[in-house]
Amino acid sequence: MPRACRYTTDVREDTGPTTPDAAGREGGVRLALVAGTTATAEIDGLSAAGADPRVMRHTPGADLDILVHGEPTIAPVVPVSPTGCPTPAVVTRAVRDLIGFDVLGVDAGIAGPTGAPTIPLGADPGRDVRDGRAVPTAGAIFDRARDVGRALPDEHLVVSETIPGGTTTALGVLTALGEPATVSSSLPENPLGQKRRVVDRALAASDLAAGDAAGDPLRAVAAVGDPVLAAATGLTVGCVESGTRVTLGGGTQLAAVAGLVRHLGVDAPLSLATTSFVADDGTAGIETLADRFDVDLHVTDPQLAAADHPATDAYLRGEAKEGAGMGGALRLFADSGVPTAALHDRIETVYDRLLADRAEGP
Amino acid sequence: MPRACRYTTDVREDTGPTTPDAAGREGGVRLALVAGTTATAEIDGLSAAGADPRVMRHTPGADLDILVHGEPTIAPVVPVSPTGCPTPAVVTRAVRDLIGFDVLGVDAGIAGPTGAPTIPLGADPGRDVRDGRAVPTAGAIFDRARDVGRALPDEHLVVSETIPGGTTTALGVLTALGEPATVSSSLPENPLGQKRRVVDRALAASDLAAGDAAGDPLRAVAAVGDPVLAAATGLTVGCVESGTRVTLGGGTQLAAVAGLVRHLGVDAPLSLATTSFVADDGTAGIETLADRFDVDLHVTDPQLAAADHPATDAYLRGEAKEGAGMGGALRLFADSGVPTAALHDRIETVYDRLLADRAEGP
């Protein structure tokens, strides 16, 4: 059975009640942005989710600010890649401006300040996975996030992430679970070899061999994961336990969340909504992961070539690709019937507002 | 110059761009619910913001939950008065359902759990004012809230509160500032004599006489106030400093916030939007306070007699009166042009949902 559906943002489909409800009343869709940090991101060359490690630690707080307020308010940076590609939060916010959906900020170890309200999970920033004890409180974070997920009254939750370095920790978890060890990258050239070396060191430090944590996913997260993986997994499990439909909105990190959920024995239907940039990244193996974890894969192409703007050109060069709910938001947008040209215009508006009156560094 | 305007929810006025923007983009209105607790509420007979003190400490978290999610999700109670009057958050949520506005949860010392995202201000629950050191960190709470207020991109912020016992602490602050010492009550018979005795003990314990804190408002809050007063004052000051228009949405507690702002030397225009129930409470003296602090008073009558429902009848008996943004939300509703009958229907819907599947106690 083919599981991957491919959309462009101009195609409207009837896929049931995903109509957003901006006031967040029951029956609507909400986008949860699970935000955190890991010291793993400070390893040179792994991530492009910020101009340098000093700035990168502020990316999750800034992404939350952008989704909630339209721009960084208290977060001291505008997250851009070393080559100037703006955070995918710009695209998610542009979609929100156009179709309206509530955002649920979740603090899974934010390191810097943010002006966005968040649900606290008591999570500290994740440690460098090379220590082999990346998230000592993974179980507690999972439990709290599951309680939040169980309690949400929404019909449909899009679960997304912002954590620089997150594909490396996702690779660690997939490896520890014995699953296909492929992940995407925010860089045009995926440093997959370097990531694998980092993961090998992490596994060695945690006395785990590849596959040793199969069926024990929280052990995998505690050893070689990150706090966002623990939180997103708990949120997803809590939602499906209480009848809230979940779309995992992201790339290989959210695919890893699907893997963690499956290794907990939860077999509820799950969708994974990602961007065409992840799907077109041969190193990511997103279709393999989706198939392996029995999730319906939805790929949306925002047709950015037609936009021809600095806010979007970097995606065409293979940068960023996904994050901060971009793929999930694009899926909602594709269902909305709003023309793609309006999305391109709005992305430029959000981008211009971000860069108009802010310096890049803290 | 007459400052008090009186509205019913059927009257539409042209008072400028208060049109809500559900996606929270720039130019819209947002309602900040500043939530906290004070041990002062545990003094017997002072507050009706919960069935008993054990339950009352959960009211702020539950009010946040209701505004954000439509019902308590993680908060373990549905806040009702000892006679069964539901929290005014029901009315605020009903308005939000009908006209759509974003909610900004602010944690100014919440004691119980909540499923709503919040901005943390590092505030602990307030102490019993009779100790004379009610909020030792009032200055730090004020500073953080001011930073948040300065950073908000909104054109218009409605500042509201949820804190059981808050009229007693407001009375303490007004007295310490040397201002008219009148406040409203969530009880039909305002226990103003008891409140004044509590405040007298508080002032004696703090070595302050009435008026001693004039011009030093944070000293008044630190001695005999509560953390919500510190936070709401900081939020208001930060907003007006950065060009965000502020409506204080509430009763005498928000009037006390206006007083604190004025004693800081801030003379920016402020509005106070309250309910007809507060305005009709002769003990509250809301017009005197509004006049004294140079704020435009807007009184909205939600015409609840026409609703004839348990969710609203208690207001006609003089219970609750205000809180959780009720007066501010009603002001936005009056501007929206939506018929009052729709509001009454929606209040019943929110109320029925709250009480349908929840027990009252934790």
Side-chain angles (χ1 to χ4, degrees):
Chain A
M1 185 173 65
R3 294 203 152 270
C5 316
R6 196 170 178 108
Y7 308 92
T8 71
T9 49
D10 268 347
V11 175
R12 172 145 200 178
E13 298 219 338
D14 281 323
T15 51
T18 58
T19 309
D21 175 334
R25 68 188 68 109
E26 287 189 299
V29 61
R30 196 184 307 260
L31 187 142
L33 183 60
V34 185
T37 50
T38 167
T40 311
E42 293 164 26
I43 302 172
D44 196 42
L46 281 188
S47 176
D52 65 52
R54 183 183 56 104
V55 175
M56 205 152 20
R57 62 192 291 277
H58 290 293
T59 294
D63 281 348
L64 277 166
D65 246 351
I66 291 166
L67 258 56
V68 169
H69 296 304
E71 59 189 300
T73 60
I74 289 183
V77 301
V78 173
V80 295
S81 74
T83 59
C85 178
T87 168
V90 168
V91 177
T92 306
R93 174 67 197 197
V95 174
R96 186 176 179 224
D97 279 352
L98 291 170
I99 68 173
F101 50 80
D102 263 11
V103 170
L104 183 75
V106 178
D107 183 351
I110 301 171
T114 181
T118 53
I119 304 245
L121 297 178
D124 292 322
R127 301 179 188 172
D128 188 325
V129 290
R130 293 173 299 183
D131 297 339
R133 295 181 63 241
V135 191
T137 60
I141 297 167
F142 171 87
D143 287 344
R144 285 182 197 163
R146 181 159 80 166
D147 287 345
V148 171
R150 277 181 179 160
L152 286 176
D154 305 282
E155 180 197 304
H156 181 193
L157 190 74
V158 178
V159 176
S160 67
E161 58 70 33
T162 170
I163 175 168
T167 56
T168 302
T169 42
L171 184 71
V173 162
L174 289 167
T175 307
L177 294 175
E179 295 293 352
T182 57
V183 290
S184 184
S185 172
S186 55
L187 290 157
E189 296 296 320
N190 191 348
L192 199 50
Q194 187 191 3
K195 289 179 184 175
R196 288 194 169 124
R197 286 189 296 277
V198 168
V199 167
D200 286 345
R201 275 190 60 180
L203 289 169
S206 63
D207 284 328
L208 280 175
D212 273 2
D216 193 357
L218 293 177
R219 186 175 169 212
V221 174
V224 296
D226 66 54
V228 167
L229 290 169
T233 303
L235 199 56
T236 301
V237 170
C239 281
V240 300
E241 284 174 342
S242 62
T244 293
R245 181 161 68 92
V246 174
T247 296
L248 301 168
T252 44
Q253 291 161 258
L254 274 301
V257 170
L260 291 162
V261 171
R262 296 311 186 208
H263 276 259
L264 283 166
V266 176
D267 60 2
L270 288 175
S271 296
L272 177 64
T274 195
T275 65
S276 51
F277 308 110
V278 170
D280 291 342
D281 174 4
T283 65
I286 193 79
E287 293 197 19
T288 302
L289 293 170
D291 195 48
R292 171 78 190 153
F293 301 136
D294 192 27
V295 298
D296 287 314
L297 180 65
H298 302 277
V299 177
T300 310
D301 180 351
Q303 303 179 294
L304 296 183
D308 189 25
H309 186 274
T312 50
D313 285 352
Y315 288 92
L316 304 176
R317 298 193 302 267
E319 292 187 48
K321 295 190 186 72
E322 174 59 275
M326 180 176 171
L330 287 175
R331 180 77 179 88
L332 298 177
F333 182 81
D335 285 343
S336 74
V338 177
T340 299
L343 175 63
H344 297 165
D345 286 349
R346 194 70 206 173
I347 289 171
E348 292 175 24
T349 301
V350 175
Y351 174 84
D352 290 344
R353 186 170 59 207
L354 247 62
L355 299 193
D357 52 0
R358 301 253 170 190
E360 181 184 313
Chain B
M1 185 173 67
R3 295 204 151 269
C5 316
R6 197 173 178 105
Y7 309 91
T8 71
T9 49
D10 269 347
V11 175
R12 171 146 200 179
E13 298 219 339
D14 282 325
T15 51
T18 58
T19 310
D21 175 334
R25 67 190 69 110
E26 285 188 299
V29 60
R30 197 184 305 260
L31 187 142
L33 183 60
V34 185
T37 50
T38 167
T40 311
E42 293 164 26
I43 302 172
D44 197 40
L46 280 188
S47 175
D52 64 52
R54 183 182 55 105
V55 175
M56 207 153 19
R57 63 191 291 275
H58 290 293
T59 294
D63 281 348
L64 277 167
D65 246 351
I66 291 165
L67 258 58
V68 170
H69 296 303
E71 59 188 299
T73 60
I74 288 183
V77 301
V78 173
V80 295
S81 75
T83 60
C85 178
T87 168
V90 168
V91 177
T92 305
R93 174 67 198 197
V95 173
R96 185 176 179 223
D97 279 353
L98 291 170
I99 69 173
F101 51 80
D102 262 12
V103 170
L104 183 74
V106 179
D107 182 351
I110 302 170
T114 180
T118 52
I119 304 246
L121 297 178
D124 292 322
R127 301 178 188 172
D128 188 325
V129 290
R130 293 173 299 183
D131 297 340
R133 296 181 62 242
V135 191
T137 61
I141 297 167
F142 171 87
D143 287 344
R144 284 182 199 164
R146 181 160 80 165
D147 288 344
V148 172
R150 276 182 180 161
L152 286 176
D154 305 282
E155 180 197 305
H156 181 195
L157 190 74
V158 178
V159 176
S160 66
E161 58 71 33
T162 170
I163 175 167
T167 57
T168 301
T169 43
L171 184 72
V173 162
L174 288 167
T175 307
L177 294 175
E179 297 293 351
T182 56
V183 290
S184 185
S185 172
S186 54
L187 291 157
E189 297 296 321
N190 192 348
L192 199 50
Q194 186 191 4
K195 289 179 185 175
R196 288 196 169 122
R197 286 189 294 278
V198 168
V199 167
D200 286 345
R201 276 190 59 180
L203 288 170
S206 63
D207 284 328
L208 282 175
D212 273 1
D216 193 357
L218 293 177
R219 185 176 170 212
V221 174
V224 296
D226 65 55
V228 167
L229 290 169
T233 302
L235 199 57
T236 300
V237 170
C239 280
V240 301
E241 284 174 341
S242 61
T244 294
R245 182 160 67 92
V246 174
T247 296
L248 302 167
T252 45
Q253 291 161 257
L254 273 300
V257 170
L260 291 162
V261 171
R262 296 310 186 208
H263 276 259
L264 283 166
V266 176
D267 60 3
L270 289 174
S271 297
L272 177 64
T274 195
T275 65
S276 51
F277 308 109
V278 169
D280 292 342
D281 174 5
T283 65
I286 192 79
E287 293 197 20
T288 303
L289 293 169
D291 195 47
R292 173 76 191 153
F293 301 137
D294 192 26
V295 299
D296 287 313
L297 180 64
H298 302 277
V299 177
T300 309
D301 180 352
Q303 303 179 293
L304 296 183
D308 188 25
H309 186 273
T312 50
D313 285 353
Y315 287 92
L316 304 176
R317 297 193 303 268
E319 293 188 48
K321 295 190 187 71
E322 175 59 275
M326 180 176 171
L330 288 174
R331 179 78 179 88
L332 298 177
F333 183 79
D335 285 342
S336 73
V338 178
T340 300
L343 175 62
H344 297 165
D345 286 349
R346 193 70 206 175
I347 291 171
E348 293 175 24
T349 302
V350 175
Y351 174 84
D352 290 345
R353 186 170 59 205
L354 249 61
L355 299 193
D357 52 2
R358 302 252 170 190
E360 182 184 313

